[in-house]
Amino acid sequence: MPPIFAFDKMQEGSGYSVTCCDAANQAALAERLFRLSRLSWTQIQGTQRHGFGSEKIARNAIKGAAIPASVTEDVTFIALRYNGLAAMVGYRDGRTFNVLYLDHTFTLYNH
C-alpha cells in the first residue's frame, strides 16, 4: 500500500514548514510526494537512502527545532529526500507519514 502524507502536525513558522521554503523547494516537495505516493513502503525502504529511500534519524539528533509535544518518546523519526539531499523528516503511523519538518537549510540535524 502506498503512503499517505499528513502535514497537520507541522509547526507553521518553525523555519522548517512548507511556508518557510522557497518556491523551488515547494515544487520539489509536491513532485516528490506525487512520486512517493505511487510506491509501497516496502519499495521506499528498499531504495537507496539518498534517492527515494528512507533513513532513520535519532530523536536526540534533532537540534534545529522543537519536537511537538504530541510526538511521543517511542516515535522513530524518518527522513525522506524531497529535493536533492534536502529531507522531509517525520514519522510513520501505519500508512501515514506525518511530516514534521522540511530541512531545506540542512540545519535540523547533522547530515
Side-chain angles (χ1 to χ4, degrees):
M1 303 271 309
I4 298 168
F5 295 92
F7 291 83
D8 59 307
K9 294 178 179 18
M10 181 177 277
Q11 297 175 338
E12 182 75 25
S14 65
Y16 300 99
S17 68
V18 173
T19 57
C20 296
C21 294
D22 61 21
N25 274 285
Q26 291 172 347
L29 175 65
E31 182 177 343
R32 184 52 55 110
L33 293 175
F34 177 79
R35 293 183 186 280
L36 287 171
S37 69
R38 275 135 179 80
L39 301 173
S40 69
W41 273 113
T42 302
Q43 289 170 308
I44 292 169
Q45 291 168 334
T47 305
Q48 199 267 345
R49 70 184 176 107
H50 286 147
F52 279 104
S54 63
E55 172 184 12
K56 290 183 180 179
I57 304 296
R59 183 184 194 92
N60 63 0
I62 305 229
K63 303 291 186 196
I67 296 172
S70 63
V71 179
T72 57
E73 290 289 327
D74 62 329
V75 164
T76 299
F77 288 96
I78 300 169
L80 299 172
R81 307 294 168 204
Y82 74 92
N83 189 11
L85 295 180
M88 63 180 113
V89 178
Y91 64 95
R92 185 177 168 190
D93 183 9
R95 282 183 62 196
T96 304
F97 184 73
N98 293 285
V99 183
L100 298 175
Y101 315 103
L102 298 177
D103 193 12
H104 59 105
T105 58
F106 302 97
T107 57
L108 179 67
Y109 66 97
N110 189 9
H111 289 255

